[in-house]
Amino acid sequence: MTIFFSLLILAICIILVHLLIKYKLHFLPESVAVVSLGIFMGAVIKIIESEHLANWKEEEMFRPNMFFLLLLPPIIFESGYSLHKGNFFQNIGSISLFAVIGTAISAFVVGGGVYFLGKAEVIYQLTVTDSFAFGSLISAVDPVATIAIFNALNVDPVLNMLVFGESILNDAVSIVLTNTAEGLARENTSNVSGWHTFLQALGYFLKMFFGSAALGTLTGLISALLLKHIDLRKTPSLEFGMMIIFAYLPYGLAEGIKLSGIMAILFSGIVMSHYAHHNLSPVTQILMQQTLRTVAFMCETCVFAYIGLAIFSFPHKFEISFVIWCIVLVLLARALNIFPLSYFLNFFRDHKITPKMMFVMWFSGLRGAIPYALSLHLEMKPIEKRQLIGTTTIVIVLFTILVLGGGTMPLTRLLDIEDPKTRRRNKKDITLSKTEKMGNTIESEHLSELTEEEYEAHYIKRHNLKGFLWFDAKYLNPFFTRRLTPEDLHHGRIQMKTLTNKWYEEVRQGPSGSEDDEQELL
């Protein structure tokens, strides 16, 4: 019944998103619509239960471990796999600073603020590790609506990539920081000095971060070499199956050896997209891209729906002072993260981060699926403490999605950072639907099939690559990816054409195999 209930909610959410796209309700982000639907369904279930017509409490419960085993891995892997790596690696220094140092600053500011306010008896008192765990989980930004607005308005591509790239790495960093706090909470640190505890936490974080990243990178490189030397291009089903296995393999291994599966799967997705993807046949390239997007959409939708359901369905502990102070700390922590680091980075960047861009980056710090999933996963005692953290997290997620997400487009236009051509377009052309944009897009870099001569002549020389990008293009890429011969290219085109023609013939003939009236079918 739990499986049935989850699938039923997902089906209704898909219909809702379809209606948003069909009737061009582009002003409403999908995440807001899905959360609203979850709230409505939670209210209906509450009424039914209060009338003693049915008890669905067990069916609507989703085990916290299921979020980490089933829902988060596809979301994180797809983020790394669909990444536009050209812009990402050109800004990798800035993105890493925002994602790692910036997230740590946010976690310490929120965690420290909650702890000291609790000590001063202004808000509910939490321990040091619990405060830091809450600060870590609430520092995971999820600018889904913001990125859709950026794409719709064609804002500065550097701003787009800084926000998007930070959010990708930030999720994994936030999860590792939360796991670090939980690990310290499980150990007895009461007799240990604060400095020793800090060094212990730093060592644990570095081991989790770099160990998991190395494991994910290694898995991605192994998958690339395997698919390069074992040619599965003529059997797309086997090829696709191998990619799916390697997509989930680093998660299981990392968790098994006490590392971060989420961090491993993120780096595995980036590396597999950069190397292994280009060893696939054109059919599997498209299939992999669209399948990952579909699964990630369903997982993300499921989490947002359960955020809405949780408002009426689960026990809460709501303290207005705790919620207000946490919102203030979250906004303050985001400001102390973005503005100082941006000014520091401008000393080293050719393309400067302007004050307007900084303000939009601060404003786009939305919270979403990751903080909610992490709040469910925390093992805090007594139970009222978990309920307080869960309730506060839901309120902050809804506040950032509705208030900050809803105000991003007016703010972007007010600050005049959108593309001039877009400003002249009709507002009806602007879509905030992430699903619609992703479903209609095939990433060009994911379908590039260059022969050895074309790669050398058109890619390395034309792009004037330097540093690691030049080394990667000159040595790593040829080592890990198959350079196609003209015959391989010709076979790939025939394979696509054959599949397309076969599908068209089957449609014309109809399901019975007999020739139907073509005009009637049309």
Side-chain angles (χ1 to χ4, degrees):
M1 287 301 293
T2 304
I3 294 172
F4 165 76
F5 191 82
S6 303
L7 294 177
L8 180 64
I9 291 174
L10 203 52
I12 296 172
C13 289
I14 289 173
I15 294 172
L16 175 64
V17 172
H18 165 70
L19 293 175
L20 291 178
I21 295 172
K22 181 179 179 180
Y23 293 106
K24 302 185 184 302
L25 302 175
H26 298 322
F27 61 88
L28 184 64
E30 291 166 8
S31 55
V32 175
V34 172
V35 170
S36 302
L37 177 66
I39 294 172
F40 173 75
M41 294 189 67
V44 171
I45 292 171
K46 193 72 174 176
I47 293 170
I48 292 174
E49 288 178 346
S50 65
E51 298 293 332
H52 303 290
L53 298 176
N55 185 6
W56 288 346
K57 185 68 66 180
E58 199 62 34
E59 284 69 31
E60 61 183 297
M61 284 289 289
F62 208 89
R63 301 293 180 270
N65 277 344
M66 290 298 102
F67 280 103
F68 280 83
L69 290 174
L70 297 179
L71 299 184
L72 291 189
I75 296 172
I76 299 295
F77 185 84
E78 193 272 336
S79 296
Y81 198 86
S82 64
L83 187 68
H84 191 286
K85 290 166 291 301
N87 289 342
F88 180 80
F89 286 116
Q90 286 173 10
N91 295 280
I92 186 64
S94 303
I95 290 170
S96 299
L97 194 69
F98 283 124
V100 180
I101 305 300
T103 304
I105 290 172
S106 296
F108 277 110
V109 170
V110 176
V114 168
Y115 175 72
F116 287 114
L117 286 171
K119 279 289 187 182
E121 297 184 353
V122 176
I123 59 174
Y124 186 92
Q125 188 169 341
L126 297 177
T127 63
V128 176
T129 52
D130 289 345
S131 300
F132 182 67
F134 175 68
S136 301
L137 71 88
I138 209 65
S139 298
V141 295
D142 182 27
V144 173
T146 305
I147 293 299
I149 292 168
F150 286 178
N151 291 335
L153 298 180
N154 289 333
V155 299
D156 190 310
V158 173
L159 172 62
N160 197 338
M161 180 47 64
L162 287 176
V163 173
F164 182 61
E166 180 212 358
S167 70
I168 289 174
L169 285 180
N170 158 273
D171 286 344
V173 173
S174 179
I175 290 169
V176 172
L177 284 171
T178 307
N179 290 339
T180 302
E182 282 197 292
L184 290 175
R186 284 192 292 268
E187 299 177 10
N188 185 15
T189 57
S190 56
N191 298 325
V192 182
S193 65
W195 177 246
H196 186 273
T197 303
F198 173 76
L199 291 178
Q200 188 178 0
L202 181 63
Y204 183 83
F205 171 77
L206 293 175
K207 182 191 79 170
M208 292 280 284
F209 185 90
F210 290 105
S212 305
L215 178 63
T217 302
L218 182 63
T219 307
L221 294 177
I222 291 172
S223 71
L225 286 175
L226 191 67
L227 288 165
K228 178 182 178 180
H229 296 290
I230 301 177
D231 190 0
L232 299 175
R233 290 168 64 90
K234 294 181 181 179
T235 50
S237 56
L238 298 181
E239 203 175 34
F240 180 67
M242 186 65 75
M243 286 292 286
I244 293 297
I245 288 170
F246 271 98
Y248 206 84
L249 197 67
Y251 183 86
L253 179 58
E255 291 292 332
I257 60 175
K258 306 302 181 185
L259 292 175
S260 171
I262 294 296
M263 181 67 74
I265 213 169
L266 169 65
F267 278 85
S268 175
I270 294 173
V271 172
M272 287 177 70
S273 173
H274 192 57
Y275 298 117
H277 185 88
H278 298 287
N279 293 331
L280 304 175
S281 63
V283 176
T284 310
Q285 285 182 341
I286 297 173
L287 180 62
M288 190 74 187
Q289 195 173 336
Q290 292 301 320
T291 301
L292 287 177
R293 286 175 171 179
T294 302
V295 175
F297 160 75
M298 293 176 70
C299 293
E300 208 166 55
T301 301
C302 209
V303 177
F304 278 119
Y306 271 91
I307 290 176
L309 275 171
I311 292 177
F312 284 102
S313 304
F314 307 126
H316 295 288
K317 180 177 176 56
F318 181 80
E319 289 194 5
I320 186 67
S321 60
F322 192 86
V323 169
I324 292 175
W325 275 108
C326 284
I327 290 175
V328 171
L329 287 171
V330 163
L331 296 175
L332 176 64
R334 181 76 178 165
L336 294 175
N337 162 3
I338 296 297
F339 292 102
L341 293 182
S342 297
Y343 281 114
F344 172 76
L345 286 169
N346 280 339
F347 287 107
F348 307 97
R349 291 181 60 91
D350 295 328
H351 192 298
K352 305 299 183 186
I353 305 173
T354 65
K356 288 182 179 180
M357 291 167 65
M358 295 179 199
F359 191 78
V360 172
M361 289 175 68
W362 168 77
F363 199 80
S364 62
L366 281 65
R367 271 61 177 176
I370 306 295
Y372 175 64
L374 287 171
S375 70
L376 291 178
H377 197 255
L378 289 180
E379 297 178 0
M380 291 183 176
K381 293 180 181 179
I383 191 66
E384 66 171 17
K385 192 187 294 184
R386 285 186 63 184
Q387 292 172 358
L388 176 67
I389 295 297
T391 302
T392 306
T393 302
I394 291 173
V395 174
I396 293 175
V397 168
L398 293 175
F399 170 81
T400 56
I401 289 176
L402 294 172
V403 178
L404 302 186
T408 300
M409 182 175 285
L411 177 70
T412 306
R413 286 190 158 140
L414 181 67
L415 294 177
D416 196 29
I417 61 171
E418 63 177 302
D419 186 73
K421 295 179 181 178
T422 308
R423 199 181 302 118
R424 293 193 295 267
R425 280 191 324 187
N426 191 324
K427 290 183 180 180
K428 292 181 180 178
D429 294 336
I430 294 176
T431 173
L432 301 188
S433 173
K434 179 185 176 186
T435 307
E436 184 178 15
K437 293 183 78 69
M438 286 171 54
N440 294 335
T441 304
I442 299 294
E443 298 293 342
S444 58
E445 68 170 282
H446 273 192
L447 293 176
S448 59
E449 290 199 313
L450 302 179
T451 63
E452 189 76 52
E453 296 78 13
E454 290 171 332
Y455 184 80
E456 187 75 29
H458 298 291
Y459 187 78
I460 298 180
K461 293 180 181 178
R462 180 181 294 177
H463 287 76
N464 192 25
L465 302 177
K466 298 177 182 178
F468 174 76
L469 292 178
W470 175 86
F471 182 79
D472 173 60
K474 186 70 177 176
Y475 298 106
L476 296 181
N477 222 297
F479 180 76
F480 287 106
T481 61
R482 182 191 294 113
R483 296 271 72 84
L484 300 175
T485 63
E487 289 78 15
D488 291 332
L489 206 58
H490 180 65
H491 179 268
R493 289 168 179 163
I494 290 176
Q495 188 182 40
M496 289 292 290
K497 188 175 181 180
T498 302
L499 286 172
T500 306
N501 289 341
K502 184 182 291 186
W503 171 82
Y504 179 67
E505 288 297 324
E506 288 178 355
V507 169
R508 286 192 62 191
Q509 291 179 3
S512 63
S514 61
E515 190 73 32
D516 288 339
D517 184 358
E518 186 175 346
Q519 193 64 36
E520 182 183 356
L521 200 67
L522 292 173

